[in-house]
Amino acid sequence: MTKETRLLTMDQFDDMIELSQFAFQYEIPAVKLAESRERFEREETDRWGIYIDGKLAAQLAILDLYTYIGDKRFAMGGIAGVSTWPEFRRQGLVAELLHHSLEKMKEKGQTLSFLHPFSIGFYRKFGWEVYTDLKTYRIDVSQLPARAPYNGTIKRVEQSYELLNPIYNAYAKQVNGALDRSVAWWNYRISSRKKGQTCVFFDSAGEAQGYVIYEVKNRELFVHELIDLTEEARRALWSFLGQHDSMIDRLEIKVATDDVLAYLLNNPRIKQEIEPYFMARIVDAEAFLKEYPFEAGNEETILLDIEDEHAAWNNGRYEVRIVADGTANVQRISGETNKESIRTGIGSLAAVLTGYKRPTELLRYGLIQGDSRQVEQLERRIPVRTTFLPDFF
C-alpha cells in the first residue's frame, strides 16, 4: 500500500468534488461546476488530501481567514470540508491531516484555528474546544416587539460590501471570534448563504447604523443577519420586521447568547434554544500570548504550564508578564522551579482566552489546575466579552 499526503490542486478537482458530494450529501448541478472550478482557483484556501494507492481517501481545507479577539485582528486557519471515504475511515487519516494542518497553519502565522464540528468530542481530542454558542429565537407573530416610531429611514438595498461591511466590522470588533470579512467572503459566502432582502437603517444624519438580511417563506420570516450599532437602530429594525405581521405566523433569528430581546418584550415567554456552535484551537501558544490584548492594570506575572498532545511546540512553562497597558512579555522557562503555576491543556486555554469560559470556573470543575491566586490574577486580566460567529464554513 502506498500513502501520500498532497496539496490538492486543479488536477485533483474532480477527486475532491466527488468525495465532498458523497460525504456531505449534496450534488453540484453540471451548470454550476464551472463556477465551482473558478471559485476553487480564486479562494485563498489550501486543500490537503491523503492518497492511498492512487485514490483520494481523505481531505480537508484550510481557509485563510482573520478573526477579532478584543478588537485585535488575528490570522486564523478555518478547517472545513473534512471528509473520508467509508472504506478508509477509522484508520487515523483525519488525525494525520489535522496534525499536518497544525504544522502548516503555524508556518503561515495563523495562531488560531476555528472549525464547525460534526462531533465535539472528536475534535476535543485534538485540542479544539467550543468557543461560542448560538441562541435561536422562535417568536410567534403576536409576541414580536411592539412597532414604534423612530427617527431615520430604512432603505431596501442590494448586498454591497462597501455599504454593509463598515457596519458589520464595527460590530465584529465588539465581540470575540467574529470574522474580518473580505470582499470575496461577502460576494460569494454571504450572498449564497444569506439570500433574500437586505435593508439598511440610516439615522437622521444619514449615517448607516444597522442592517438586516432576511427572507420570507411559507409564512415564516427568517432573519439571516441583524446588525445594529445603536439602540435607535435596534428599535428601528425590529419595528420594521414587525411590519411583516400580516405575512407571517412566526419569526426565527439566531443571535449572540448575551442578546436581551426576550427581556424587552411585553411577553418574554418566547421559544429560545442555545446550542454549542464553533470550536477554536490555539495553534501557536507563545505567538498568540504575545499578541493577546489583556486587560489593563497593575503589572503582574503569571506562570502557565501548557500541555498539548498534538502540537508539541506548545508544550512547556511560560512566564507571562502583563504590563500596565495589557500587553504581555512572554518567555519560555526551562528547568524546574518551585513557583506556583496554572496547569492547562491547550483546549481549556482556548476557552479562557477567547472569553467563552472564565478561569475560576474551569478551576472549579478541574479543567485547569494550580494556584488559585494565579487563576484569580488571570481572571482579572481576561476582558469580559461575548463570543459570537454570525458565519459558517
Side-chain angles (χ1 to χ4, degrees):
M1 180 182 76
T2 61
K3 183 164 67 173
E4 179 187 6
T5 300
R6 296 186 198 170
L7 178 65
L8 303 179
T9 66
M10 187 56 72
D11 292 339
Q12 290 84 42
F13 179 82
D14 291 339
D15 292 348
M16 182 188 65
I17 289 297
E18 183 184 13
L19 175 51
S20 294
Q21 289 183 118
F22 176 83
F24 300 111
Q25 301 174 47
Y26 70 94
E27 186 173 348
I28 300 176
V31 294
K32 293 284 188 179
L33 271 178
E35 181 181 320
S36 296
R37 288 178 181 274
E38 180 187 346
R39 183 171 164 181
F40 178 91
E41 290 187 301
R42 184 179 54 245
E43 281 192 331
E44 294 183 0
T45 302
D46 288 340
R47 295 170 174 85
W48 292 93
I50 294 178
Y51 274 77
I52 294 180
D53 293 335
K55 178 178 176 59
L56 178 63
Q59 64 179 350
L60 59 70
I62 310 172
L63 285 69
D64 290 347
L65 300 173
Y66 292 87
T67 187
Y68 290 109
I69 303 291
D71 83 5
K72 194 167 186 178
R73 187 172 181 262
F74 288 86
M76 183 269 289
I79 301 296
V82 182
S83 49
T84 311
W85 285 107
E87 59 268 33
F88 295 111
R89 289 177 186 163
R90 295 177 177 83
Q91 297 179 30
L93 300 185
V94 170
E96 288 184 40
L97 285 174
L98 290 174
H99 289 144
H100 183 78
S101 299
L102 287 169
E103 293 172 357
K104 293 302 177 183
M105 287 187 285
K106 184 176 185 294
E107 289 174 9
K108 279 192 167 186
Q110 295 169 324
T111 56
L112 286 173
S113 174
F114 292 171
L115 59 77
H116 183 262
F118 78 93
S119 164
I120 290 172
F122 176 83
Y123 285 105
R124 273 180 169 161
K125 293 186 298 184
F126 296 97
W128 276 264
E129 184 53 82
V130 177
Y131 90 89
T132 190
D133 301 328
L134 280 183
K135 178 160 64 173
T136 302
Y137 294 140
R138 296 180 181 89
I139 310 173
D140 289 340
V141 68
S142 62
Q143 297 173 294
L144 287 172
R147 296 186 301 277
Y150 51 85
N151 296 319
T153 58
I154 288 180
K155 296 181 180 179
R156 199 172 301 275
V157 300
E158 295 293 327
Q159 280 192 20
S160 160
Y161 173 84
E162 290 75 18
L163 177 58
L164 300 183
N165 195 64
I167 307 169
Y168 164 80
N169 213 41
Y171 172 77
K173 291 180 179 180
Q174 298 174 24
V175 297
N176 282 351
L179 299 184
D180 178 11
R181 293 174 177 169
S182 65
V183 177
W185 194 267
W186 275 99
N187 289 344
Y188 301 105
R189 297 278 182 160
I190 303 300
S191 63
S192 64
R193 292 188 176 275
K194 302 189 177 187
K195 297 181 180 295
Q197 305 296 313
T198 302
C199 294
V200 175
F201 170 72
F202 296 88
D203 64 19
S204 54
E207 295 293 323
Q209 299 288 2
Y211 67 83
V212 61
I213 304 172
Y214 72 100
E215 62 183 328
V216 179
K217 290 181 180 178
N218 303 319
R219 296 195 61 80
E220 289 191 80
L221 192 157
F222 297 91
V223 178
H224 296 308
E225 188 161 303
L226 191 156
I227 300 292
D228 55 75
L229 301 182
T230 65
E231 174 57 17
E232 181 183 46
R234 187 196 69 80
R235 288 198 308 267
L237 290 168
W238 275 107
S239 187
F240 166 75
L241 291 172
Q243 297 285 11
H244 296 72
D245 56 348
S246 64
M247 302 174 59
I248 64 173
D249 297 321
R250 66 191 60 83
L251 177 149
E252 181 174 309
I253 183 173
K254 297 182 187 298
V255 296
T257 53
D258 67 344
D259 187 88
V260 296
L261 176 69
Y263 177 76
L264 300 175
L265 297 176
N266 289 330
N267 178 5
R269 288 175 173 168
I270 61 174
K271 292 180 180 178
Q272 302 183 53
E273 181 182 11
I274 296 177
E275 59 180 343
Y277 188 41
F278 259 69
M279 302 180 80
R281 195 198 203 283
I282 297 171
V283 175
D284 187 334
E286 185 172 0
F288 184 58
L289 287 166
K290 285 179 177 177
E291 295 298 318
Y292 187 83
F294 289 97
E295 197 74 70
N298 295 329
E299 182 174 320
E300 53 192 341
T301 299
I302 296 168
L303 293 180
L304 290 176
D305 280 311
I306 300 174
E307 181 180 349
D308 189 341
E309 183 181 349
H310 299 282
W313 57 82
N314 288 327
N315 286 319
R317 173 166 286 193
Y318 298 80
E319 181 184 77
V320 183
R321 182 167 60 86
I322 308 170
V323 299
D325 67 356
T327 57
N329 297 311
V330 181
Q331 289 187 334
R332 286 177 178 267
I333 300 175
S334 59
E336 295 295 324
T337 173
N338 293 326
K339 293 182 179 180
E340 294 287 350
S341 67
I342 300 170
R343 300 182 297 281
T344 177
I346 199 70
S348 292
L349 187 62
V352 165
L353 294 181
T354 58
Y356 182 67
K357 293 297 179 185
R358 304 304 293 175
T360 53
E361 182 182 4
L362 295 191
L363 179 67
R364 182 183 312 125
Y365 295 115
L367 297 174
I368 62 175
Q369 295 84 35
D371 177 44
S372 61
R373 183 185 61 83
Q374 290 247 324
V375 173
E376 289 166 2
Q377 278 183 302
L378 181 60
E379 178 112 15
R380 290 194 300 269
R381 306 313 289 265
I382 303 295
V384 176
R385 277 187 169 228
T386 298
T387 58
F388 185 46
L389 177 66
D391 278 294
F392 179 84
F393 54 82

